[in-house]
Amino acid sequence: MYIKNYDEIIKSTTNEENLKVKKWILDCIEAALRSVEPSVAVKSALKIINNKLNIRGLSFNLNSFEHIYVIGGGKASGAMAESIEQLLGNKITEGIVNVPEGTEGNYHTEIIQINPASHPIPNENGLHGAKRMIEIAKKAGEKDLVIVLISGGGSALMPYPADNITLQEMQNLTNLLLKSGATIEEINAVRKHISQFKGGQLAEAIYPATALTLIISDVVGDRLDTIASGPTAPDETTFKDAYNVLKRYNLLDKTPENIINRIKRGLSYEIPETPKSGNKIFKKVHNIIIANNRMALIGAMKEAVKLGLNTVILTSFLEGEAREVGTVLGSIVREIYNYNSVIKKPAMILAGGETTVTVRGQGKGGRNQELALSAAIKIRGLEGVGIASLGSDGIDGVTDAAGGIVDSTTVEKGLENGMNPLEYLDNNDTYSFLSQTGDLIITGPTGINVNDLIFICIS
Amino acid sequence: MYIKNYDEIIKSTTNEENLKVKKWILDCIEAALRSVEPSVAVKSALKIINNKLNIRGLSFNLNSFEHIYVIGGGKASGAMAESIEQLLGNKITEGIVNVPEGTEGNYHTEIIQINPASHPIPNENGLHGAKRMIEIAKKAGEKDLVIVLISGGGSALMPYPADNITLQEMQNLTNLLLKSGATIEEINAVRKHISQFKGGQLAEAIYPATALTLIISDVVGDRLDTIASGPTAPDETTFKDAYNVLKRYNLLDKTPENIINRIKRGLSYEIPETPKSGNKIFKKVHNIIIANNRMALIGAMKEAVKLGLNTVILTSFLEGEAREVGTVLGSIVREIYNYNSVIKKPAMILAGGETTVTVRGQGKGGRNQELALSAAIKIRGLEGVGIASLGSDGIDGVTDAAGGIVDSTTVEKGLENGMNPLEYLDNNDTYSFLSQTGDLIITGPTGINVNDLIFICIS
């Protein structure tokens, strides 16, 4: 059971119809998380039969490799490493994965080193690990296999600035970019060109060995060049793009000198570009997504079918300001509730993605809690409707909750306690509201990292 | 044809697949608007057979009435009056409807007076008309029928403050309330209690005559007590509610004295409450919605079926910040585009409602244009996807456009012209963007008023 406050959620639900709906939702949440647990993901994707490693139609003869190395990093990469070692045992020559500090004790491996690093601000230990990975990658020869384990957070956990750029300089630039209004694509264009790891450069180091990258995606749309900054994926951006971003946001003067120098050397072709698609190195690279948001939603669908519900994935690309997304989802619920449109009741509608919160207030909350409370306003009084939104990693904002689960009575319960939901939303204080109405979902960190999951149930 | 720039839209679309999709959308827009044209709505709802007026299972023997009166107001009420007069002719004794100034010449009636009034700020002519309606209502006796024609804008077009409250005082209070952050429900609670027309009070005046109210709804969810402030619908709010709203938003000191006095007299039961549900007067009232947003969407569905498309109403309750709504709808498109989830391609997905725009910039645009441009960002590069959003009244913001129609190339066309769509959204300047990419929809005022319509097509 991932949900730790299951009994409290059930106890706080007095209406019979809502209770039924909430139980269905909680069952589907459990199923969704279970289906993308890193160990489950590794073991359902990889099958070893007669010394052949089979994955998604590919087949590798394990006896044909002289060495097998395992490297990588991310929030789920410790659990992935553990499972890989259980599968391949001492066929693995050596390995190292960077995991978030404090989680290293959760994983039990004998061959693959579990190296704690910091996140979201990179540290020396992360750098040390990334250097070690590049050493292994370069050492690997034509007859070797390098298994790369990538998951969300990998970009910060595996920092490796190029030239003599320091971690501090890299961090200063990231902060400047984050404040500038640059898009995440623009920020990544810069970051890839001051790194010697990101943007396909790890793949370059691995070549001519075979690279098998197993990916747990935390990126909406699963872009390979975006997840953990795509260390084994072709990079479509250039030094020119990186320079233009700094120029566009007036950051050329503020950018640390080492960084500017590198980008200028790139512009004048003194140093090579990141590898592009079509580059021969990618013929020996296999990037395979073994878990993502949509697979979690499919896990939930299977459970919903077992429960006898009609079910549909509305979207696995959900984005937008959390409270507005909640309003739109509430609008769709009202249509189904009134007209059985889109899908017939009883129904479980699933969505996934990653919303954003524009912080304007002083309160405590997270994007999933905002989405849930906002949706609660739209489903006020609609008996037999429940909506849950949670971060699959179990962490929503800076709270101990994973998200919220609301029903037709949530707003009423709040008002009875003197809480106006709109005021709590305006103050970004949804945790305070939902904790008093008994509508939080508490899981603690799950070790799963496939973005946010939304469950809408109408009985 | 409602769409005046059909040829320009077609000409600006170079991609074959997008062209197909846009033609489908434009056909469905025409069909949607046609289906809720006020004259069509009146004539499809009302049938006269053997001197019996039949409407939604009700049947009135026209010979049993001594007089038939026609009163009402709203943006569509002129066209409704014209159709009613065509149907009932000189069976109508007399009548008056308040319509927006400047549109009075559009309607041809001989018995029912078309009275121009102002909107959104009420004027003396509106008051004059409303007084006349109450006189007619009071004159009507037990054997009379009063047909009330209600549509959006009716609240401002039929002002009738109670006691000696002036239009100016009423307007001052409305302005205070609009600035205070009070919800529309709260504002209406106050307005109904300083009026002698709204909140069921017209129904009270009509009693003991029979009231048949024909309604074209411009309110999401079609609440009878909200459309035109519900002149013939039971009011669930009280003088106490009205007082509490003024208190909650610290407006007691600023409210004009005449208004405060009336509300205090209401609190001490010196004057009667607005009529509540259960009141015997409502036994002789029939409130019937003859056109609304959902009926327009059903009109579009029928056309989509004819075109051979799969089709579904996603919601007719759509609300939220326009650009965020566009993002969410774009997220749903990406799911259908990639996975055929929710509905199979080729598909026409329909939505309706009313979004909002938080104005932060200096530009020119409207909620439908913001929704369309924001959605364009999400469907960038997805060939064979088109999204249109328009106000059914043909008016989006303070522009001459009804809305926008975007496809996979909209963002690209903008960027090529040096326009960043995010900047244009931030500056609320979507009209400037979409006019340059050739993606506006221009209809001029349509005389239709059933909120906004959204069309998503994926080939």
Side-chain angles (χ1 to χ4, degrees):
Chain A
M1 290 277 290
Y2 296 95
I3 298 164
K4 294 200 174 129
N5 66 332
Y6 187 96
D7 292 342
E8 286 87 336
I9 294 172
I10 296 303
K11 249 182 248 165
S12 79
T13 311
T14 47
N15 178 294
E16 283 284 327
E17 205 60 25
N18 291 346
L19 185 64
K20 188 167 75 177
V21 161
K22 275 177 153 173
K23 281 182 175 168
W24 284 337
I25 290 177
L26 295 171
D27 283 355
C28 285
I29 293 175
E30 292 287 336
L33 294 175
R34 227 165 26 230
S35 69
V36 288
E37 172 97 34
S39 62
V40 172
V42 169
K43 287 175 184 166
S44 14
L46 268 75
K47 300 286 175 200
I48 298 175
I49 303 164
N50 296 333
N51 258 313
K52 279 193 176 157
L53 190 158
N54 299 300
I55 179 166
R56 303 279 160 82
L58 297 173
S59 187
F60 301 93
N61 185 341
L62 292 172
N63 293 332
S64 71
F65 295 116
E66 287 177 0
H67 303 96
I68 296 177
Y69 301 104
V70 180
I71 60 179
K75 291 184 194 171
S77 299
M80 294 165 85
E82 193 179 77
S83 297
I84 282 287
E85 197 173 302
Q86 282 165 10
L87 282 171
L88 298 177
N90 54 19
K91 291 194 174 68
I92 301 168
T93 308
E94 66 169 316
I96 176 170
V97 290
N98 282 3
V99 302
E101 304 176 317
T103 69
E104 64 272 22
N106 301 348
Y107 313 113
H108 306 286
T109 56
E110 290 186 1
I111 303 167
I112 304 166
Q113 186 194 337
I114 305 289
N115 179 46
S118 71
H119 178 274
I121 297 172
N123 68 357
E124 288 296 330
N125 223 30
L127 173 58
H128 168 78
K131 278 187 181 166
R132 194 68 202 99
M133 292 175 210
I134 292 285
E135 279 167 24
I136 291 172
K138 287 191 171 158
K139 182 168 73 177
E142 200 169 354
K143 295 200 156 175
D144 294 339
L145 172 67
V146 181
I147 299 177
V148 185
L149 306 176
I150 294 293
S151 57
S155 190
L157 289 167
M158 297 183 289
Y160 196 175
D163 302 347
N164 44 359
I165 296 165
T166 65
L167 283 185
Q168 187 58 52
E169 287 170 332
M170 202 179 75
Q171 190 56 36
N172 291 348
L173 178 70
T174 300
N175 292 342
L176 283 174
L177 286 164
L178 286 173
K179 277 187 223 153
S180 73
T183 65
I184 188 67
E185 288 78 14
E186 290 173 327
I187 294 175
N188 283 340
V190 179
R191 289 203 289 204
K192 286 178 181 176
H193 287 88
I194 63 173
S195 161
Q196 52 189 302
F197 194 94
K198 304 181 201 300
Q201 295 177 89
L202 177 61
E204 213 161 27
I206 291 170
Y207 188 84
T210 299
L212 173 61
T213 302
L214 307 182
I215 302 166
I216 295 185
S217 167
D218 71 331
V219 169
V220 174
D222 299 336
R223 282 190 60 160
L224 296 176
D225 60 352
T226 308
I227 306 162
S229 300
T232 61
D235 177 27
E236 300 315 318
T237 66
T238 62
F239 277 106
K240 179 92 185 144
D241 293 327
Y243 181 82
N244 285 342
V245 171
L246 297 177
K247 196 174 159 196
R248 186 172 312 140
Y249 295 99
N250 294 314
L251 298 176
L252 286 172
D253 293 343
K254 297 170 199 154
T255 302
E257 208 183 325
N258 280 329
I259 292 178
I260 287 287
N261 286 344
R262 176 171 173 84
I263 291 177
K264 287 194 174 157
R265 287 171 62 217
L267 284 180
S268 58
Y269 306 105
E270 285 174 50
I271 43 177
E273 257 301 343
T274 51
K276 308 302 171 206
S277 69
N279 189 316
K280 69 172 190 295
I281 65 164
F282 291 113
K283 288 192 180 148
K284 296 203 75 177
V285 177
H286 309 278
N287 286 305
I288 292 168
I289 292 174
I290 60 165
N292 66 6
N293 188 271
R294 198 163 200 275
M295 294 180 198
L297 298 180
I298 289 171
M301 278 186 107
K302 288 181 184 164
E303 181 70 18
V305 169
K306 274 191 212 162
L307 293 169
L309 305 172
N310 298 311
T311 180
V312 70
I313 295 176
L314 186 64
T315 181
S316 57
F317 296 89
L318 194 63
E319 292 180 299
E321 179 75 18
R323 66 184 283 183
E324 303 298 330
V325 174
T327 299
V328 177
L329 295 179
S331 306
I332 295 172
V333 168
R334 291 179 70 188
E335 189 72 23
I336 300 170
Y337 185 88
N338 284 290
Y339 301 109
N340 258 326
S341 190
V342 183
I343 189 165
K344 285 202 171 40
K345 290 172 276 191
M348 180 72 68
I349 300 104
L350 303 161
E354 186 171 347
T355 64
T356 43
V357 167
T358 308
V359 177
R360 296 204 168 87
Q362 309 293 323
K364 195 175 168 185
R367 58 184 187 257
N368 288 286
Q369 293 163 68
E370 294 221 351
L371 189 158
L373 181 55
S374 171
I377 296 171
K378 291 289 152 200
I379 63 165
R380 179 177 176 183
L382 303 188
E383 197 177 279
V385 176
I387 298 183
S389 183
L390 76 160
S392 59
D393 59 0
I395 301 158
D396 191 36
V398 281
T399 72
D400 62 3
I405 178 164
V406 299
D407 66 24
S408 64
T409 68
T410 298
V411 167
E412 232 55 57
K413 279 195 272 182
L415 291 171
E416 279 164 19
N417 284 297
M419 300 186 295
N420 179 335
L422 289 172
E423 285 169 16
Y424 279 74
L425 280 165
D426 286 345
N427 196 28
N428 302 115
D429 199 21
T430 47
Y431 181 88
S432 304
F433 190 103
L434 296 172
S435 60
Q436 282 196 61
T437 56
D439 294 328
L440 290 174
I441 300 172
I442 313 260
T443 60
T446 59
I448 296 165
N449 194 13
V450 293
N451 262 320
D452 299 336
L453 304 168
I454 291 111
F455 304 78
I456 300 169
C457 189
I458 310 177
S459 68
Chain B
M1 287 279 290
Y2 296 96
I3 299 164
K4 295 197 173 133
N5 66 333
Y6 186 97
D7 292 344
E8 286 87 335
I9 294 171
I10 296 305
K11 249 182 247 164
S12 79
T13 310
T14 48
N15 177 295
E16 283 283 327
E17 203 61 24
N18 291 346
L19 186 63
K20 187 167 74 179
V21 159
K22 275 176 153 174
K23 281 183 176 168
W24 284 337
I25 290 177
L26 294 171
D27 284 354
C28 285
I29 292 175
E30 292 288 337
L33 293 176
R34 225 162 32 227
S35 69
V36 288
E37 172 97 35
S39 62
V40 173
V42 168
K43 287 174 186 168
S44 12
L46 268 73
K47 300 285 174 201
I48 297 175
I49 304 165
N50 297 333
N51 259 313
K52 279 193 177 156
L53 190 158
N54 299 299
I55 178 165
R56 303 282 158 80
L58 296 171
S59 186
F60 301 94
N61 186 342
L62 291 172
N63 293 333
S64 72
F65 296 116
E66 287 177 0
H67 304 97
I68 296 178
Y69 301 103
V70 180
I71 59 179
K75 293 184 194 171
S77 299
M80 292 164 86
E82 193 178 78
S83 298
I84 282 287
E85 197 173 300
Q86 283 164 10
L87 281 171
L88 297 178
N90 55 18
K91 289 196 175 68
I92 300 169
T93 307
E94 67 169 316
I96 177 170
V97 291
N98 282 3
V99 303
E101 303 176 317
T103 69
E104 63 273 20
N106 302 348
Y107 313 113
H108 306 287
T109 56
E110 292 185 2
I111 304 167
I112 305 166
Q113 185 194 338
I114 305 288
N115 179 48
S118 72
H119 178 274
I121 296 174
N123 69 357
E124 288 295 331
N125 224 29
L127 173 59
H128 168 79
K131 277 187 182 167
R132 194 69 201 97
M133 292 174 210
I134 291 285
E135 280 167 24
I136 291 173
K138 288 191 169 157
K139 180 168 73 176
E142 200 169 354
K143 295 200 156 179
D144 294 339
L145 172 67
V146 181
I147 298 178
V148 185
L149 306 176
I150 294 293
S151 56
S155 190
L157 288 168
M158 298 182 287
Y160 196 175
D163 300 345
N164 43 359
I165 298 165
T166 65
L167 282 184
Q168 187 58 52
E169 286 170 332
M170 202 179 75
Q171 192 55 36
N172 291 348
L173 179 70
T174 300
N175 292 342
L176 283 174
L177 285 164
L178 286 173
K179 278 188 221 151
S180 72
T183 65
I184 187 68
E185 288 79 13
E186 289 173 327
I187 293 175
N188 283 341
V190 178
R191 288 203 289 204
K192 287 178 182 176
H193 285 88
I194 63 173
S195 160
Q196 50 191 303
F197 194 95
K198 304 181 200 299
Q201 293 177 90
L202 177 61
E204 214 162 25
I206 292 171
Y207 187 84
T210 300
L212 173 61
T213 303
L214 306 182
I215 302 166
I216 296 186
S217 167
D218 71 332
V219 168
V220 174
D222 298 335
R223 280 190 62 161
L224 295 176
D225 59 352
T226 308
I227 305 162
S229 299
T232 61
D235 177 27
E236 299 314 318
T237 65
T238 62
F239 277 106
K240 179 89 185 148
D241 293 328
Y243 181 83
N244 285 342
V245 171
L246 298 177
K247 195 173 159 195
R248 187 172 311 140
Y249 295 98
N250 294 314
L251 299 176
L252 286 172
D253 294 343
K254 296 170 199 154
T255 303
E257 208 182 327
N258 280 331
I259 292 178
I260 287 286
N261 285 344
R262 175 171 173 83
I263 291 177
K264 286 193 175 158
R265 286 171 60 218
L267 283 180
S268 58
Y269 307 105
E270 285 174 50
I271 42 177
E273 257 300 342
T274 51
K276 307 304 171 205
S277 69
N279 190 314
K280 69 172 188 293
I281 66 164
F282 292 113
K283 287 192 182 149
K284 295 202 77 176
V285 176
H286 308 278
N287 286 305
I288 292 169
I289 292 174
I290 61 165
N292 65 7
N293 188 272
R294 198 164 200 274
M295 294 180 197
L297 298 180
I298 289 171
M301 277 186 105
K302 289 180 182 164
E303 181 69 19
V305 169
K306 273 190 211 162
L307 294 167
L309 305 173
N310 299 311
T311 180
V312 70
I313 296 176
L314 185 63
T315 180
S316 57
F317 296 89
L318 193 63
E319 293 180 300
E321 179 76 18
R323 66 185 284 184
E324 303 298 330
V325 174
T327 299
V328 176
L329 295 179
S331 304
I332 295 172
V333 168
R334 292 179 70 188
E335 188 72 23
I336 299 169
Y337 185 89
N338 283 290
Y339 301 109
N340 258 325
S341 190
V342 184
I343 189 164
K344 286 202 170 39
K345 291 173 278 191
M348 180 71 70
I349 299 104
L350 303 160
E354 186 171 347
T355 63
T356 44
V357 167
T358 308
V359 177
R360 297 204 167 86
Q362 309 292 324
K364 195 175 168 185
R367 56 183 188 260
N368 288 286
Q369 293 163 68
E370 294 221 350
L371 189 157
L373 181 54
S374 171
I377 296 171
K378 290 289 152 200
I379 63 166
R380 179 178 176 183
L382 303 188
E383 197 177 279
V385 176
I387 298 183
S389 183
L390 76 158
S392 59
D393 59 359
I395 301 159
D396 192 36
V398 282
T399 73
D400 63 2
I405 179 164
V406 298
D407 66 23
S408 64
T409 67
T410 297
V411 168
E412 232 55 56
K413 280 195 271 181
L415 291 171
E416 279 164 19
N417 285 297
M419 300 185 295
N420 179 336
L422 288 172
E423 284 168 16
Y424 279 74
L425 280 166
D426 286 346
N427 196 28
N428 303 115
D429 199 20
T430 48
Y431 180 88
S432 304
F433 190 103
L434 295 173
S435 60
Q436 283 197 60
T437 57
D439 293 329
L440 289 175
I441 300 172
I442 314 260
T443 60
T446 60
I448 295 165
N449 194 13
V450 294
N451 262 321
D452 299 337
L453 304 168
I454 291 113
F455 304 78
I456 300 169
C457 189
I458 310 177
S459 68

